[in-house]
Amino acid sequence: MASKKFVFGYFVIPLFFLFASTQYVVSSSNVSSTLCIKEERMTLLKIKKDLNDPSNCLSSWVGKDCCNWIGIQCDNQTGNILKLDLQQSHICIDVLSLSPLGGKINPSLVELKHLSHLDLSFNDFEGVSIPEFIGSLNMLNYLDLSHANFSGMVPTHLSNLSNLHYLDISNQFSRLSINDLSWLYALSSLQYLSLDFVNITDSPHELFRGVNKMSSLLELHLASCNLGALPPTSPFLNITSLSVLDLSGNPFNSSLPSWLFNMSTLTKLDLYDSSLKGPVPSMLGRWNLCKIQDLNLGFNDLTGDITEMIEALSCSNQSLEFLDLSSNQLTGKLPNSLGKFTSLYDLDLSRNSVNSITGVSGPMPTSIGNLSNLGSLNLDSNMMNGTIPESIGQLTNLYSLNLLQNYWEGTMTNIHFHNLTNLISLSVSSKHYTFALKVTNDWAPPFKNLFHVEISGCQVGPTFPYWLRNLKSLNEIILQNAGISGETPHWWLYNMSSQILHLDLSHNKISGYFPKAMNFTSSNSPTVDFSFNKLKGSVPLWSGVSALYLRNNLLSGTLPTNVSKEMSDLRYLDLSNNYLNGRIPLSLNRIQNLSYLDLSNNYLIGEIPEFWMGMQSLQIIDLSNNSLSGGIPTSICSLPLLFILELSDNNLSADLSSAFQNCTGLKTLSLENMFFGSLPNEITKNLPLLAELLLRGNSLTGSIPEELCRLPFLHVLVLAENNISGSIPSCLGDVHGFKLPQTYFIYLMYSLAFTGYVPYTRHIELVLKGRIIKYLNQSPVQSIIDLSKNNLSGQIPEKITQLIHLGAMNLSWNHLTGGIPDNIGLLTDLESLDLSHNHLSGPIPPSMASMSFLSDLNLSYNNFSGQIPVANQFGTFNELSYVGNVGLCGHPLPTNCSSYIPGNGEHDRKREDGDDDSERLGLYASIAAGYITGFWIVCGSLVLKRSWRHAYFNFVYNMRDKLLVLMAVNLARLKRGFGFERN
Ligand SMILES: *[C@@H]1O[C@H](CO)[C@@H](O)[C@H](O)[C@H]1NC(C)=O
Ligand SMILES: *[C@@H]1O[C@H](CO)[C@@H](O)[C@H](O)[C@H]1NC(C)=O
């Protein structure tokens, strides 16, 4: 995954140069004329001839007066060319629409013997190496080859450039590497060195030794250089005035050395996303970063107390402007002394709480109101509580306020916003139930340009917040779970709708009818979410809408036949859990770009139309829990992108053995209906990617085909409540999918979420642990085998113990014989095991005592005998787990055993209870996906206003990081296992 920095580069770097460029062009044309030396002019023309210049950026390179050509500067005495500046934004005025230079750099460049300044940055040399002859330009003191698409080894010839003051070879979009740093030693005059994104494979020790020779160094940029270690003591002994040190994006995987905090000359220190962990050094309560303006320690695994850190920074309280400590595991409270940092412009402490153990806690200090320069405050996802101080309303310069996901109490009123005239993005939510926003209905907010508002988990209602109507720039309105009841102001929604990108009023108690008329703009790709309310009426026909979520309302009537005509831009449609009846209209298939269709839990009747050919973009179809009848249309399998098909709980009936020809993309197939016949033939050929097969409660006969074992991703197999006979194929023990850690399937979901995947709300039901588990919002991440209530006979195959990541197995109500495989204890992830109502016999294998996650065990009504193990989990099961086995004895049964055999396997692993978090995880995945789709469209309009862009990007990243954080925490193994988070 690209780091925040990486993605930013795409937009911010070119834009920055766009703004810088105009000025430059003016100044470079002031040079006196007629000095141009003929030989040098010929050289320039040779250079021009070899360059590709599709946008004619070098059109001024004609005539004799080469000193006045764009990008050229001559010595005003001798006429020698001193400066060749071909930086894209300097020569092509409009960098966004004009193409950069490309092609070849003619070696005659070296004939410009007096050249002291060479800049080829931001062009596109198509991945060629940096030409060695550049090393012959020994008068150079300025060399900028950054972001010009050079790749390969950096030539050691650069060591001849002993006069260099400035060297930048950072290359973000292609990979340069250095495996021998010795050339660096010669460049002792450097003041500026940037090797950002260069893959340095020589030892960091060599690097810092070389750098230490550069006693005049002011700026050192080593971001994403693949450096594996930080020196334990300061490597910069000879360097006395280093001002900028950027080490971000390196895989240091170590703690933070204290010398970094002793560098009193630094104005900027960047260690973002550098795999740093452990405590932030406290250094007797004092850091020497007394000139620091920009300190970034974000996105690491640092621990420490925020109070101590703010105190340790006290000598910089006049200079500090940017402080990013986000995405760490900091604790402690914000001290009142925070108010002394009067230059602070951007404070980001977000996402320090990922597990309710860490996180910035306590109330927000009142002194926050003294931070008169503060533009952006982000405290998202911490443990802060208390009431929000009214002084926050004094922050006149604040444009972005993010107070999501804390435990705020009390109320916010107009006073909290009193002077926030510049606010453009406002986000507040609390996990504390009392938190409320109380403003009078006639309140006119001081912020007139707000474009994003999110107030969730906060009492805003009971009436709709009428103050929103004063905000003419709003385009994202999220009032989720905000206690709003009554009706929405239809006239206002109509007026706003033309500018809406995102409207989310879900999880309220909004009643009345859906607004009839809306005026959405299809080019905004608006996302509209009214889920979980009490809105009634027929399906609204809002043209222009791209995503429409109306789940859990009181929608009634039939699906209108003109839905495809009126809402032809729909990509995501969720009308589930309503009261829709009638048939699925044949015209629906004219919504050509629909990729997600959820009509589940309604009262639809009739057959599923054979009309799917028209909707080639469909990825997810959920028609479950209706009254649909007939068979499965064959055209459904022709959908090239379909991966989830949910048709359970209908009255569908057909011979399954011949259905599903060539459903080659399908990953989930859920069909709890009245199907008959045997399991589909040639299942590996027809459904090669199948991961979840849910066929509970049909009338399937025949045996379990061995073919099933050749589905490499299968990890949920539910064939319960059928008439399947024969034995359990031993080859089930070979299915690769059951051996994959559950994190693998989370990973799949994650990757979907960022390929334009939709906010799909799953509602798979699985009978586990003796009860129905509803998987809302997520795929079951456990591996599951449920073959219960069939006519299976024979033994439990020994090989099944190879499925080491199996989470649940239910073989109950069959006719199985024999014993439990001895080494069943190998199934260390198993949480639920039900073997009840079979004819199994023999002892309970002692190895089971080592299954430390086992929380549900049912062995009842078999012929088991002997001693019940007592160790570990076995202490927690009650009699019901064993009833109906006459031969069993020992606790918890009343029968004592004559001889005592202790269970073995003293494991002490704690059970990780992730249910709650993983549910939320799914929710965030959906939310993030929703935003990300919208995001690409918006970003065009954000180009103009820098502060807007900043706030918006922040917001998008926050959404994304929320997802990321939950994943990282809930499944700590994931981070290590897949490494997608950092690379
Ligand atoms: C020549 O250029 C230098 C800087 O490059 C400048 O300081 C000086 O004033 C210029 N002399 C004339 C005569 O323009
Ligand atoms: C850096 O170079 C090393 C050695 O050539 C290579 O193994 C590694 O994959 C490279 N890393 C990146 C991120 O390009």
Side-chain angles (χ1 to χ4, degrees):
M1 139 116 21
S3 73
K4 184 175 186 171
K5 183 155 283 178
F6 182 84
V7 180
F8 245 91
Y10 268 106
F11 298 94
V12 177
I13 294 175
L15 284 165
F16 176 77
F17 282 97
L18 171 67
F19 296 127
S21 66
T22 354
Q23 269 181 329
Y24 184 89
V25 173
V26 175
S27 65
S28 72
S29 59
N30 280 342
V31 181
S32 63
S33 54
T34 65
L35 278 167
C36 176
I37 295 169
K38 188 178 170 214
E39 289 72 26
E40 293 198 335
R41 187 175 77 234
M42 298 324 259
T43 302
L44 287 179
L45 289 175
K46 277 189 228 166
I47 292 171
K48 179 182 179 185
K49 189 158 167 281
D50 273 6
L51 289 172
N52 282 337
D53 182 11
S55 299
N56 219 1
C57 295
L58 298 179
S59 57
S60 70
W61 283 27
V62 288
K64 295 229 155 102
D65 188 9
C66 73
C67 292
N68 261 338
W69 292 357
I70 195 161
I72 307 296
Q73 192 182 318
C74 300
D75 186 315
N76 50 16
Q77 304 296 315
T78 65
N80 289 117
I81 294 175
L82 300 179
K83 183 167 175 178
L84 177 57
D85 180 354
L86 300 180
Q87 178 173 136
Q88 190 213 1
S89 60
H90 293 173
I91 56 170
C92 312
I93 314 299
D94 183 355
V95 282
L96 290 186
S97 60
L98 298 183
S99 310
L101 300 176
K104 204 167 146 264
I105 303 163
N106 192 303
S108 58
L109 176 67
V110 299
E111 286 157 23
L112 302 175
K113 295 244 181 296
H114 299 266
L115 202 62
S116 67
H117 181 120
L118 177 62
D119 187 343
L120 300 175
S121 60
F122 291 95
N123 286 298
D124 181 5
F125 295 107
E126 294 160 18
V128 300
S129 311
I130 294 176
E132 292 173 0
F133 56 75
I134 287 183
S136 311
L137 293 162
N138 52 14
M139 294 298 283
L140 278 185
N141 61 40
Y142 184 105
L143 179 58
D144 187 350
L145 303 176
S146 63
H147 308 294
N149 199 2
F150 288 113
S151 65
M153 287 294 166
V154 176
T156 54
H157 305 70
L158 296 185
S159 65
N160 298 334
L161 305 176
S162 55
N163 292 316
L164 274 188
H165 290 159
Y166 185 104
L167 176 61
D168 188 350
I169 54 172
S170 52
N171 249 269
Q172 189 165 357
F173 308 116
S174 56
R175 205 63 179 166
L176 279 168
S177 9
I178 297 178
N179 60 7
D180 174 11
L181 282 159
S182 49
W183 58 272
L184 210 56
Y185 289 68
L187 308 180
S188 57
S189 308
L190 275 183
Q191 295 176 359
Y192 180 105
L193 174 61
S194 175
L195 303 176
D196 288 348
F197 302 99
V198 176
N199 185 2
I200 298 178
T201 53
D202 205 351
S203 78
H205 179 70
E206 281 302 300
L207 172 68
F208 287 113
R209 219 157 65 113
V211 166
N212 191 37
K213 295 243 180 341
M214 305 166 186
S215 55
S216 316
L217 204 63
L218 299 173
E219 296 204 17
L220 179 59
H221 297 265
L222 297 170
S224 303
C225 286
N226 204 17
L227 303 177
L230 266 173
T233 57
S234 176
F236 303 127
L237 300 176
N238 295 333
I239 302 175
T240 53
S241 44
L242 194 67
S243 171
V244 174
L245 179 58
D246 183 352
L247 296 168
S248 61
N250 283 296
F252 291 129
N253 202 17
S254 66
S255 56
L256 259 178
S258 55
W259 59 264
L260 281 166
F261 296 88
N262 244 338
M263 302 185 68
S264 57
T265 54
L266 283 187
T267 59
K268 176 174 173 163
L269 175 60
D270 193 344
L271 292 161
Y272 185 85
D273 188 16
S274 303
S275 304
L276 295 165
K277 56 195 180 189
V280 178
S282 69
M283 297 174 56
L284 302 169
R286 198 152 183 94
W287 298 342
N288 286 323
L289 298 171
C290 295
K291 290 188 178 154
I292 201 85
Q293 295 169 4
D294 185 346
L295 177 60
N296 193 340
L297 303 177
F299 218 87
N300 286 293
D301 287 317
L302 297 169
T303 58
D305 186 295
I306 189 78
T307 316
E308 284 174 22
M309 293 174 74
I310 299 288
E311 300 293 347
L313 274 167
S314 61
C315 73
S316 65
N317 61 23
Q318 296 305 303
S319 58
L320 194 66
E321 294 172 15
F322 294 86
L323 180 60
D324 186 347
L325 302 174
S326 63
S327 298
N328 281 292
Q329 293 158 35
L330 304 179
T331 51
K333 298 178 178 171
L334 276 178
N336 215 40
S337 57
L338 180 69
K340 295 192 183 134
F341 290 79
T342 47
S343 301
L344 207 54
Y345 176 72
D346 191 324
L347 177 61
D348 190 349
L349 304 177
S350 61
R351 288 156 278 141
N352 272 288
S353 177
V354 280
N355 46 18
S356 304
I357 298 168
T358 63
V360 179
S361 57
M364 195 190 296
T366 322
S367 65
I368 198 123
N370 299 341
L371 302 179
S372 55
N373 283 308
L374 201 62
S376 174
L377 175 64
N378 191 347
L379 302 176
D380 190 351
S381 301
N382 277 292
M383 302 285 289
M384 296 186 72
N385 56 22
T387 53
I388 295 172
E390 290 179 345
S391 60
I392 203 167
Q394 298 161 18
L395 300 175
T396 330
N397 289 312
L398 202 65
Y399 68 88
S400 174
L401 177 62
N402 185 339
L403 304 178
L404 294 173
Q405 303 286 336
N406 279 283
Y407 294 85
W408 309 117
E409 296 156 41
T411 53
M412 280 183 99
T413 65
N414 340 3
I415 303 172
H416 288 91
F417 302 102
H418 189 67
N419 268 329
L420 304 187
T421 47
N422 287 304
L423 207 61
I424 56 174
S425 173
L426 168 65
S427 315
V428 188
S429 74
S430 176
K431 298 181 193 169
H432 198 285
Y433 63 98
T434 62
F435 187 64
L437 176 73
K438 285 204 176 118
V439 293
T440 48
N441 253 345
D442 56 356
W443 180 52
F447 37 83
K448 300 286 182 240
N449 296 319
L450 200 74
F451 79 81
H452 166 82
V453 61
E454 172 170 7
I455 305 178
S456 307
C458 164
Q459 188 72 25
V460 176
T463 54
F464 194 83
Y466 281 91
W467 51 270
L468 289 178
R469 72 189 150 189
N470 295 315
L471 304 172
K472 308 288 185 225
S473 306
L474 276 182
N475 52 36
E476 299 196 317
I477 304 170
I478 301 166
L479 298 169
Q480 212 186 73
N481 189 16
I484 299 171
S485 54
E487 301 196 11
T488 52
H490 290 191
W491 55 269
W492 177 77
L493 282 174
Y494 178 81
N495 284 341
M496 292 302 295
S497 55
S498 63
Q499 66 198 58
I500 288 286
L501 305 175
H502 192 98
L503 174 65
D504 182 350
L505 300 175
S506 65
H507 297 269
N508 285 293
K509 297 190 187 81
I510 299 172
S511 56
Y513 285 90
F514 280 102
K516 270 258 173 316
M518 290 282 208
N519 188 19
F520 293 113
T521 307
S522 62
S523 60
N524 285 343
S525 298
T527 294
V528 182
D529 192 342
F530 280 98
S531 306
F532 295 91
N533 278 293
K534 294 176 171 172
L535 284 155
K536 60 190 173 192
S538 53
V539 177
L541 297 169
W542 296 329
S543 68
V545 161
S546 172
L548 183 59
Y549 306 109
L550 304 180
R551 184 181 176 78
N552 275 72
N553 275 288
L554 307 173
L555 276 177
S556 57
T558 57
L559 256 176
T561 49
N562 56 347
V563 67
S564 52
K565 188 155 165 277
E566 299 296 326
M567 295 199 281
S568 56
D569 296 306
L570 273 179
R571 298 181 61 207
Y572 311 127
L573 179 61
D574 182 354
L575 303 177
S576 63
N577 287 58
N578 279 289
Y579 297 88
L580 297 175
N581 54 39
R583 293 165 183 273
I584 300 174
L586 283 169
S587 58
L588 194 71
N589 74 349
R590 293 202 208 111
I591 309 179
Q592 286 184 0
N593 293 323
L594 201 63
S595 68
Y596 162 48
L597 175 64
D598 189 348
L599 302 176
S600 62
N601 290 292
N602 279 291
Y603 297 91
L604 299 172
I605 54 165
E607 300 197 357
I608 304 174
E610 180 68 82
F611 70 172
W612 302 93
M613 295 300 265
M615 293 182 278
Q616 296 287 300
S617 304
L618 271 172
Q619 299 183 28
I620 297 177
I621 300 173
D622 190 344
L623 303 177
S624 62
N625 210 352
N626 280 289
S627 302
L628 299 167
S629 53
I632 300 170
T634 49
S635 61
I636 228 166
C637 265
S638 68
L639 298 172
L641 304 176
L642 188 70
F643 70 93
I644 296 182
L645 179 58
E646 296 267 4
L647 300 176
S648 287
D649 297 308
N650 280 291
N651 303 324
L652 300 173
S653 172
D655 186 343
L656 210 62
S657 34
S658 53
F660 302 105
Q661 307 284 324
N662 298 322
C663 287
T664 44
L666 220 51
K667 297 194 173 76
T668 296
L669 178 58
S670 175
L671 297 174
E672 300 176 11
N673 279 280
M674 305 185 314
F675 291 104
F676 53 88
S678 51
L679 281 172
N681 287 325
E682 300 194 300
I683 200 161
T684 42
K685 186 169 140 246
N686 293 334
L687 299 152
L689 299 179
L690 202 61
E692 300 170 358
L693 181 60
L694 299 125
L695 296 174
R696 173 189 308 281
N698 287 291
S699 306
L700 300 177
T701 50
S703 57
I704 303 173
E706 301 227 335
E707 176 113 18
L708 209 62
C709 307
R710 292 199 287 275
L711 292 170
F713 300 110
L714 191 68
H715 73 121
V716 173
L717 176 62
V718 178
L719 303 177
E721 298 168 43
N722 281 287
N723 296 319
I724 296 172
S725 54
S727 58
I728 301 172
S730 164
C731 66
L732 220 47
D734 299 325
V735 180
H736 185 59
F738 289 109
K739 299 180 190 177
L740 293 170
Q742 48 174 279
T743 50
Y744 179 81
F745 295 99
I746 287 267
Y747 175 68
L748 281 184
M749 186 182 82
Y750 175 84
S751 59
L752 291 170
F754 293 99
T755 52
Y757 175 58
V758 296
Y760 174 49
T761 315
R762 299 284 304 273
H763 31 79
I764 289 188
E765 292 178 4
L766 291 165
V767 181
L768 281 184
K769 306 179 185 179
R771 61 197 159 101
I772 293 182
I773 306 243
K774 293 190 182 197
Y775 283 92
L776 274 181
N777 283 321
Q778 62 160 347
S779 296
V781 290
Q782 273 183 324
S783 289
I784 291 160
I785 294 181
D786 185 352
L787 306 176
S788 61
K789 300 192 180 164
N790 278 292
N791 293 321
L792 295 168
S793 54
Q795 305 208 349
I796 301 174
E798 177 81 29
K799 256 185 156 179
I800 221 150
T801 61
Q802 294 176 11
L803 306 179
I804 48 170
H805 289 297
L806 197 63
M809 180 157 72
N810 188 348
L811 305 177
S812 64
W813 297 92
N814 279 292
H815 310 293
L816 300 173
T817 52
I820 303 177
D822 279 342
N823 49 3
I824 192 163
L826 294 173
L827 301 178
T828 47
D829 280 356
L830 203 67
E831 290 181 31
S832 171
L833 177 64
D834 190 346
L835 301 176
S836 63
H837 297 276
N838 278 292
H839 311 300
L840 297 164
S841 56
I844 300 174
S847 75
M848 284 184 75
S850 65
M851 299 162 78
S852 43
F853 286 89
L854 196 64
S855 57
D856 285 275
L857 176 69
N858 193 349
L859 303 178
S860 62
Y861 301 101
N862 278 289
N863 302 319
F864 290 117
S865 56
Q867 162 85 41
I868 297 170
V870 290
N872 298 327
Q873 293 299 99
F874 278 88
T876 65
F877 304 132
N878 64 26
E879 233 181 294
L880 293 175
S881 299
Y882 310 107
V883 290
N885 288 283
V886 284
L888 282 178
C889 62
H891 178 81
L893 295 178
T895 7
N896 279 334
C897 302
S898 42
S899 63
Y900 179 80
I901 313 157
N904 64 1
E906 300 291 327
H907 279 247
D908 220 353
R909 258 201 290 168
K910 287 237 169 65
R911 211 180 108 73
E912 297 165 49
D913 199 345
D915 281 4
D916 190 39
D917 270 352
S918 35
E919 245 174 60
R920 272 190 288 140
L921 166 67
L923 180 67
Y924 286 129
S926 349
I927 293 170
Y931 284 122
I932 279 159
T933 9
F935 153 73
W936 293 105
I937 289 108
V938 195
C939 87
S941 64
L942 292 174
V943 161
L944 293 175
K945 213 166 171 183
R946 192 161 177 266
S947 51
W948 282 31
R949 209 171 56 239
H950 188 78
Y952 194 82
F953 274 73
N954 248 336
F955 165 69
V956 171
Y957 285 114
N958 289 343
M959 293 314 299
R960 194 192 59 174
D961 286 346
K962 231 179 244 175
L963 166 75
L964 215 66
V965 162
L966 267 167
M967 310 237 317
V969 175
N970 196 25
L971 300 148
R973 285 166 286 180
L974 181 70
K975 204 157 132 188
R976 316 280 175 250
F978 291 95
F980 61 80
E981 189 179 358
R982 298 205 189 273
N983 296 310

